[in-house]
Amino acid sequence: MLRMLRYLGGKLVRRRLSQVADEYLSRCEQCYRTQRETLSRILALNATSEFSRQHGLNASLSPDDYRLQIPVSDFELVRPYVEQVQRGFTSALLGANNPLLMFALSSGTTAESKSIPITKPFLDDYRRGWNIWGLRFFNDHEKANRLDIVQLTSDYEQFHTSGGTPCGNISGLVTSMQSRIVRSMYTIPPEVAKVRDTEAKSYINLRCAMANEHVGLITTANPSTLIRWAQLANEHKETLIRDIHDGTIHYAQSIPGEFRTVFTKGHFRPNRSRAKWLENLVQQTGQLTPGDFWPHLQALAVWTGGAVKHYLPSMRKLYGNVPVRDHGLSASEGRMTIPLEDETSSGVLDIGTHYFEFIPEAEYGRSNPVVLGAHELELGQDYYILLTTTSGLYRYDIRDVVRCTGFYHQTPMLEFLHKGAHISNLTGEKLAESQVVNAVHHASRELHCEVGCFTVAPVWGAPPHYRLHTERLAEGVSAARLAKAIDCQLINSNCEYRDKRESQRLAPLEVITVPQGTWQAFRHDRLQRKGGSLEQYKHPCLVPDLDFSEKIATLSGLSKASVAAPHFLSVDHAARMHTHHGVEHS
């Protein structure tokens, strides 16, 4: 009854949001004009800041004049000003009408974690983008309107700066601002984000979500998170069912004391009928699989582009062949695209939120590269994307490589390919992470097997070569056979790699297995060293580090010799539910 009343009341809200979305998307008909207006708005908003005064920035600048005032930059351009903002001197970077709300912590994929200012206008734009995404999704999936949502978020108050500003994840801030009606759609209470222990948090999230049979949409950034959930469901099925039956919480000691009362209400009350249903499911099938214990699931919302596409086949097997809607290209620094359809990572460029510039991939790294506006992109071409945002980033090189896949009216549609930093170049082959992911994907299809979580890294030798590290191989598929299939795919997809292999400047790729638990230790080590949250973590499928194998050996407790020489192992794949050991991020 409550879900039906919420659905009927939500129709009015959706009608109002539809008008806002249609009006916003209509601006895509005039891409150049909208981008000029966006640039002027951003420059005007921060015109009174110390940064703007020192760099001659004001709303009257044309795009050409703006490029003369500010070079293509990284975070170091604004770091001194951000540090002043952290101490409470917001006027160093932000205008008087641009109030600071928090700092978002970047994932630290290519560098140390950075603190990105999140302001009120930035948050308003961010929420509008999600509203448009959500509206299009729920219009396309009518049944989902009558069901509940499982969303994983991180805390926006992990700590505070010396000036008293919270630091954490922007998704947590958005969740904290939801109305009670909107909040009623979500299965997991926001207080779970306060749990610091990552394994405890994963369990509590799953325990809460499993108690609800009316889940229609699951949304998190990385599909590997959902694969890990499926593993947890089976590893802890007895404990989960008992907790749901009794209204208890395993890992309760990990919950901050001031929030424990929340966990005794609503979502965590005893649910004996649900527990009995899950127990019967285990008796019938021998396991708990998400596609079975969430029979009403309508869709999954995860990233699908770049390296994470490797996880999608395993995710679909576990959750059922339901539609997948990509989140869009986004980061702590800003939201870049809004996907409007299922089963594609491509989305329309969010031209009313940030000012965008693009460097053609062939021009990147030159002292004076060609820089294009959004309206100048060409179908099928690849670009590095630059951001200018209301939160004080100017011509910021986020090092994302994107491809123009088409146009929505006059505005480009983009898909994420890979991080520019995830390119390895031993002998001129310029091997990209996206090429590695595609090669593994096609090789696994060719051999009718699944490859678990993996990382490819260069290994020096005479000649050097690439090595794929994985925790297990599918039964019946040898490492040598898989390595040959992947190597052939790389030869076919990268002409420079083919040239170096034919000239024997590169030896064939090899595949080795590392002990179970290696990727968990690797994830923990990177988060400890670089910062960022668990949900933001991005497992690298290509690392251009010649010492990677030795570092993995140290983390996994192996001797250097045992990794230096390939050791090919076979693991009982069926006994592990045809899943792989994934890692999480947002």
Side-chain angles (χ1 to χ4, degrees):
M1 178 61 73
L2 176 60
R3 291 180 181 85
M4 182 55 66
L5 291 175
R6 189 181 66 199
Y7 165 70
L8 295 174
K11 279 190 171 182
L12 297 175
V13 176
R14 290 195 298 275
R15 189 176 298 119
R16 177 175 57 83
L17 288 177
S18 292
Q19 296 174 349
V20 174
D22 290 346
E23 179 181 348
Y24 183 76
L25 291 175
S26 69
R27 303 179 70 184
C28 293
E29 296 176 4
Q30 300 185 61
C31 179
Y32 177 69
R33 176 180 175 180
T34 299
Q35 277 283 269
R36 285 207 62 163
E37 292 173 349
T38 301
L39 177 61
S40 295
R41 176 174 67 93
I42 293 171
L43 295 180
L45 192 61
N46 291 322
T48 59
S49 71
E50 185 64 25
F51 181 93
S52 292
R53 287 196 294 267
Q54 290 180 1
H55 291 83
L57 302 181
N58 60 73
S60 66
L61 292 177
S62 68
D64 289 339
D65 292 336
Y66 173 59
R67 290 175 186 174
L68 294 175
Q69 296 298 113
I70 298 289
V72 174
S73 68
D74 57 20
F75 193 72
E76 297 310 308
L77 176 67
V78 297
R79 185 184 294 277
Y81 302 89
V82 170
E83 290 173 350
Q84 292 185 61
V85 175
Q86 289 176 312
R87 294 193 294 270
F89 302 104
T90 57
S91 61
L93 187 64
L94 307 173
N97 295 320
N98 195 14
L100 178 70
L101 299 178
M102 63 170 290
F103 287 96
L105 304 177
S106 76
S107 61
T109 302
T110 59
E112 296 303 308
S113 182
K114 301 178 285 292
S115 296
I116 309 299
I118 302 299
T119 66
K120 179 63 165 57
F122 182 100
L123 185 67
D124 290 343
D125 288 338
Y126 179 89
R127 295 179 72 184
R128 179 188 59 216
W130 270 116
N131 285 339
I132 293 172
W133 182 96
L135 182 72
R136 295 294 291 251
F137 171 83
F138 284 105
N139 284 346
D140 291 344
H141 300 277
E142 180 64 23
K143 289 183 180 179
N145 287 281
R146 298 176 174 86
L147 296 166
D148 295 332
I149 301 170
V150 169
Q151 180 180 22
L152 304 184
T153 61
S154 292
D155 189 13
Y156 78 96
E157 288 186 293
Q158 296 178 24
F159 60 90
H160 289 76
T161 67
S162 58
T165 304
C167 301
N169 189 287
I170 190 173
S171 66
L173 178 61
V174 172
T175 300
S176 72
M177 301 174 70
Q178 290 172 337
S179 68
R180 293 183 65 180
I181 294 177
V182 172
R183 183 66 251 160
S184 70
M185 300 171 62
Y186 290 81
T187 299
I188 300 173
E191 289 79 9
V192 178
K194 300 291 184 181
V195 176
R196 292 287 180 260
D197 183 275
T198 56
E199 291 303 313
K201 182 180 177 183
S202 294
Y203 177 90
I204 295 171
N205 275 325
L206 180 58
R207 178 255 182 268
C208 184
M210 279 184 63
N212 185 358
E213 65 177 295
H214 301 288
V215 171
L217 170 66
I218 303 175
T219 173
T220 188
N222 197 323
S224 66
T225 302
L226 300 185
I227 293 171
R228 178 56 182 155
W229 260 25
Q231 291 176 317
L232 284 174
N234 270 288
E235 291 170 5
H236 301 287
K237 53 181 174 288
E238 293 87 0
T239 305
L240 285 162
I241 292 173
R242 184 168 57 249
D243 272 349
I244 292 170
H245 181 277
D246 297 339
T248 54
I249 312 167
H250 192 61
Y251 287 113
Q253 71 279 3
S254 299
I255 302 170
E258 64 269 29
F259 298 108
R260 288 182 186 172
T261 55
V262 175
F263 293 89
T264 63
K265 302 176 182 178
H267 301 283
F268 293 91
R269 289 173 180 164
N271 192 338
R272 293 178 177 84
S273 61
R274 176 64 170 168
K276 182 63 176 177
W277 190 89
L278 292 170
E279 190 174 35
N280 290 338
L281 182 61
V282 173
Q283 292 175 354
Q284 294 169 14
T285 65
Q287 60 188 21
L288 285 179
T289 303
D292 293 333
F293 60 71
W294 283 316
H296 307 296
L297 188 64
Q298 300 297 303
L300 300 170
V302 294
W303 283 331
T304 64
V308 299
K309 71 173 65 173
H310 172 73
Y311 300 111
L312 298 181
S314 295
M315 182 188 72
R316 291 182 189 275
K317 286 186 178 181
L318 293 165
Y319 287 79
N321 193 28
V322 297
V324 178
R325 179 72 63 102
D326 195 287
H327 281 198
L329 177 55
S330 63
S332 302
E333 293 86 348
R335 184 182 188 94
M336 288 157 270
T337 66
I338 305 174
L340 304 177
E341 298 177 342
D342 294 337
E343 308 300 341
T344 176
S345 63
S346 183
V348 61
L349 188 65
D350 194 356
I351 57 174
T353 293
H354 309 308
Y355 180 69
F356 297 100
E357 297 170 275
F358 298 87
I359 300 176
E361 190 173 31
E363 292 283 323
Y364 191 80
R366 295 183 179 179
S367 58
N368 189 28
V370 170
V371 179
L372 305 174
H375 64 289
E376 297 177 292
L377 302 193
E378 296 181 9
L379 178 65
Q381 298 301 304
D382 300 342
Y383 305 91
Y384 282 77
I385 187 169
L386 311 178
L387 303 177
T388 295
T389 76
T390 54
S391 285
L393 298 180
Y394 297 93
R395 308 196 72 200
Y396 180 82
D397 179 8
I398 197 169
R399 294 175 182 167
D400 282 351
V401 180
V402 298
R403 175 169 296 163
C404 179
T405 60
F407 296 87
Y408 183 83
H409 299 304
Q410 294 181 1
T411 300
M413 303 281 291
L414 304 177
E415 67 173 350
F416 173 73
L417 295 181
H418 55 79
K419 273 287 183 187
H422 293 179
I423 295 176
S424 184
N425 192 31
L426 285 175
T427 61
E429 70 278 10
K430 296 180 181 178
L431 188 63
E433 185 177 44
S434 59
Q435 294 171 335
V436 168
V437 170
N438 285 330
V440 173
H441 174 69
H442 288 295
S444 62
R445 289 183 60 185
E446 175 187 331
L447 299 178
H448 304 289
C449 70
E450 291 181 17
V451 179
C453 183
F454 71 88
T455 296
V456 171
V459 180
W460 199 250
H465 67 282
Y466 285 89
R467 177 180 290 163
L468 183 146
H469 309 73
T470 183
E471 286 190 346
R472 65 173 174 273
L473 299 173
E475 186 174 13
V477 177
S478 70
R481 187 180 176 201
L482 177 62
K484 182 176 180 180
I486 296 171
D487 196 57
C488 289
Q489 290 292 335
L490 292 174
I491 288 172
N492 292 335
S493 64
N494 183 321
C495 61
E496 293 293 345
Y497 185 90
R498 179 176 64 246
D499 178 66
K500 306 309 183 288
R501 287 281 291 106
E502 290 176 350
S503 63
Q504 299 186 18
R505 282 174 284 177
L506 281 178
L509 178 139
E510 66 171 331
V511 172
I512 69 167
T513 56
V514 296
Q516 291 291 320
T518 295
W519 296 135
Q520 183 176 355
F522 179 68
R523 175 186 63 188
H524 178 76
D525 179 71
R526 282 172 67 92
L527 288 173
Q528 288 291 316
R529 289 187 295 106
K530 293 191 172 185
S533 70
L534 175 66
E535 285 74 18
Q536 290 177 306
Y537 177 78
K538 305 175 183 68
H539 180 84
C541 293
L542 175 67
V543 174
D545 182 357
L546 286 165
D547 297 324
F548 181 81
S549 286
E550 291 188 359
K551 293 175 181 176
I552 283 296
T554 301
L555 282 175
S556 62
L558 295 174
S559 67
K560 293 182 181 180
S562 65
V563 172
H567 61 288
F568 304 130
L569 304 176
S570 178
V571 176
D572 184 358
H573 192 57
R576 299 185 182 274
M577 288 177 57
H578 55 261
T579 66
H580 59 265
H581 201 308
V583 290
E584 299 171 296
H585 79 167
S586 153

